[in-house]
Amino acid sequence: AQFRLRQAYASIAKEGRIWKIGQAWHPMAADMPDIFSLEAGSPFGPFNRSPQVNFEWMTRTSDEWKMGLTAAAIWQMQYQSTGPIGGSVLYMKYGKTPEMYAAVAYKSKGFLVRAGVDYLSIKPRVFGSVDGRTVKVDDRKNSVLGYVYTQYSHKNFAVKAKSTFGQGGEHMNLMSGYAKIGENPDGSWEYASLRNSSSWLSLSYGKKWQAVLFLGYLKNLGLAEELPTYISKSDVYFCGNGFSNINQMYRINPQIIYNIGKMNVGLEYQWTNVEYGEYYEGKLSKYGLA
């Protein structure tokens, strides 16, 4: 799709049940830090808006909800998986399977905790080659990504924290992806997802004048199992906003914000440090790391 659609969805609510249908924040990206920058702490947390069908069920006391369960089926449009032809929605289209999400949440007296899991299954290719002949193949790459989010607020103070761990997530602007690890006699390829850990913490104090501190850290963990051979750089499909030789990254981001009704004026300093590794003759290690 070439049309850039930010958010456009219908929301239907009745007795603690909420349906959301349309283009909206990905459920894993919806919980964001208190931050002034447009990137909202990315790439230390998921950043993605996608077409989806989202259902949330909540239990309530007299004045607020306590427990919540969320399930969603998600497609891709602007934020895409990567693969042999770069970033594309075709991999999900070939796979004919929506991205699946489920989460549970608990809220009480200014405290909120949410934990969820995301499952993605795509087909990077539909045609391959055997002895110079073009054949139809059944390539498929699966990945599972989980997260935990918590926040606490009291008067003018708020603290939020989020941590994601798992496989892939390049379509959410996480510094990860997957690798081609083998070829089969029928022309199909085998894949393995790279693992990553991404976390952030935000501290906020004040209302009219607001002081904020954002801290972020991410680590590229590579493959879960060692391969028999080194991996060619060209066989690694990584997030288009990063590079497959990233080892780790951290950010320190202090901010001061002045709120005037619905308008915010702010000043921030963002210090981001990235550590890269070296490719060995154009290859990554047997764990998919530089």
Side-chain angles (χ1 to χ4, degrees):
Q2 301 297 318
F3 184 58
R4 184 183 184 275
L5 188 64
R6 191 175 185 274
Q7 292 200 79
Y9 61 86
S11 183
I12 306 167
K14 182 180 180 181
E15 298 177 354
R17 298 186 299 273
I18 301 175
W19 286 91
K20 182 184 291 184
I21 304 171
Q23 170 90 350
W25 283 107
H26 192 292
M28 287 194 71
D31 296 311
M32 294 185 178
D34 289 321
I35 198 166
F36 196 62
S37 298
L38 180 64
E39 88 283 347
S42 178
F44 301 95
F47 190 96
N48 176 299
R49 292 183 294 267
S50 293
Q52 61 187 273
V53 177
N54 187 309
F55 174 74
E56 186 171 7
W57 173 81
M58 298 178 292
T59 63
R60 281 185 173 271
T61 60
S62 58
D63 56 349
E64 66 175 14
W65 66 272
K66 289 289 186 181
M67 292 286 297
L69 299 174
T70 305
I74 305 160
W75 205 251
Q76 291 184 3
M77 190 171 71
Q78 178 187 353
Y79 299 89
Q80 306 164 350
S81 295
T82 188
I85 61 172
S88 175
V89 297
L90 290 177
Y91 312 125
M92 177 167 278
K93 179 181 176 181
Y94 294 155
K96 302 177 183 178
T97 306
E99 183 178 355
M100 306 303 295
Y101 167 88
V104 59
Y106 174 77
K107 181 180 180 182
S108 178
K109 297 179 180 178
F111 174 76
L112 169 67
V113 61
R114 190 191 321 272
V117 62
D118 186 83
Y119 174 76
L120 177 66
S121 180
I122 60 174
K123 284 188 174 183
R125 303 185 313 152
V126 291
F127 294 105
S129 178
V130 176
D131 298 328
R133 295 179 295 107
T134 299
V135 296
K136 191 172 182 179
V137 296
D138 193 27
D139 292 14
R140 187 171 286 275
K141 192 277 297 185
N142 303 317
S143 60
V144 178
L145 187 67
Y147 81 99
V148 175
Y149 169 80
T150 185
Q151 71 177 45
Y152 174 76
S153 60
H154 178 69
K155 295 183 179 179
N156 292 337
F157 173 74
V159 57
K160 299 179 180 180
K162 191 173 190 176
S163 182
T164 63
F165 173 80
Q167 304 167 330
E170 73 278 0
H171 64 298
M172 301 184 202
N173 285 303
L174 296 177
M175 294 296 101
S176 191
Y178 61 99
K180 169 193 168 186
I181 60 172
E183 298 184 7
N184 299 317
D186 62 359
S188 62
W189 292 355
E190 298 291 334
Y191 305 93
S193 291
L194 298 170
R195 300 169 304 145
N196 72 94
S197 174
S198 303
S199 303
W200 57 257
L201 170 71
S202 79
L203 303 169
S204 172
Y205 183 80
K207 292 295 182 182
K208 194 173 186 67
W209 282 97
Q210 190 176 18
V212 179
L213 176 63
F214 173 87
L215 304 172
Y217 177 78
L218 66 84
K219 178 73 173 178
N220 181 4
L221 301 172
L223 302 175
E225 297 181 0
E226 184 180 16
L227 299 178
T229 60
Y230 291 95
I231 305 174
S232 173
K233 178 181 176 181
S234 62
D235 287 337
V236 177
Y237 308 115
F238 207 78
C239 175
N241 291 331
F243 302 92
S244 60
N245 62 334
I246 285 180
N247 184 344
Q248 60 184 356
M249 179 190 303
Y250 67 82
R251 177 176 296 166
I252 301 173
N253 183 199
Q255 309 152 58
I256 185 73
I257 302 170
Y258 182 59
N259 299 300
I260 311 169
K262 295 184 179 297
M263 185 174 74
N264 317 102
V265 179
L267 178 67
E268 67 174 354
Y269 178 77
Q270 189 179 104
W271 178 27
T272 303
N273 179 283
V274 190
E275 180 183 281
Y276 295 93
E278 291 186 0
Y279 295 103
Y280 176 71
E281 296 182 350
K283 296 180 179 181
L284 296 171
S285 75
K286 298 177 182 180
Y287 280 101
L289 297 169

